[in-house]
Amino acid sequence: EMGSGPCRNLFYIYDHFPNKKYSCNDLSKEDSFLHMNPLIREIINFHEGDSEHAVKELRDVDLFVCSDHLMHLQYDKAENILNYVNDVLKPKYIILREIMKEFETPLHPRLFHDYKKLEKNYKIISSSISVNSKEYFIKIYELKK
């Protein structure tokens, strides 16, 4: 998971799939571990630092999760991450929860990025608006065979 903070999303996934390997990234391991569930803390492979660099440390990923993170990255950084995930990493599945274009606020920043590019290698198998906030989309992508 990119920009995972305390890995709340991975905790829910881990609860259903405990026998998998889990990796995450955030700027501060210390801050992330402070509020992390002890079960996840024990098994997580944490990549501390900038997401643009951390994503390139990943290998053999089945599921790439990014929730409310890319919207806080500059256009070029998010573009580089999306290109790497789409063209090099190629996980089997991608789950994104990010801001929709019409709610983009560049001065905040909450930036919308070109997620359509993922459809070159992925098909969308689920698409919805977040129940918690109508400003966000949730999409699940599956790698095309």
Side-chain angles (χ1 to χ4, degrees):
E1 179 179 13
M2 285 277 108
S4 64
C7 296
R8 287 184 186 100
N9 294 317
L10 289 183
F11 178 71
Y12 293 115
I13 295 169
Y14 173 79
D15 194 39
H16 292 88
F17 303 97
N19 297 321
K20 301 290 181 182
K21 294 180 184 177
Y22 290 89
S23 294
C24 70
N25 150 263
D26 213 292
L27 282 174
S28 170
K29 183 176 182 177
E30 181 181 342
D31 290 342
S32 294
F33 273 45
L34 190 62
H35 300 289
M36 192 178 291
N37 183 293
L39 293 172
I40 291 294
R41 194 181 306 130
E42 289 177 22
I43 59 102
I44 199 74
N45 180 10
F46 197 95
H47 298 267
E48 185 174 36
D50 182 84
S51 297
E52 186 179 11
H53 302 291
V55 73
K56 293 178 181 168
E57 296 176 16
L58 301 176
R59 302 286 180 272
D60 301 320
V61 173
D62 290 324
L63 173 64
F64 180 85
V65 178
C66 194
S67 178
D68 301 0
H69 179 62
L70 293 175
M71 69 178 189
H72 296 301
L73 301 182
Q74 299 93 340
Y75 293 113
D76 59 334
K77 281 188 168 293
E79 177 90 5
N80 290 339
I81 290 169
L82 289 169
N83 286 340
Y84 186 81
V85 169
N86 195 30
D87 297 330
V88 180
L89 189 59
K90 293 186 178 178
K92 293 177 186 174
Y93 297 94
I94 299 171
I95 298 176
L96 294 179
R97 180 187 187 268
E98 294 291 339
I99 196 82
M100 292 189 291
K101 176 66 175 163
E102 56 268 30
F103 298 104
E104 179 180 44
T105 54
L107 297 178
H108 183 263
R110 292 185 330 167
L111 305 176
F112 179 81
H113 301 288
D114 179 15
Y115 304 105
K116 188 102 174 131
K117 70 173 55 216
L118 295 173
E119 294 175 38
K120 174 179 114 183
N121 294 319
Y122 289 85
K123 63 181 177 180
I124 298 171
I125 59 173
S126 179
S127 181
S128 63
I129 305 299
S130 176
V131 174
N132 298 332
S133 177
K134 304 297 182 200
E135 299 173 331
Y136 298 89
F137 70 84
I138 299 172
K139 290 187 181 182
I140 303 174
Y141 300 83
E142 180 179 40
L143 187 62
K144 293 177 183 175
K145 297 183 180 18

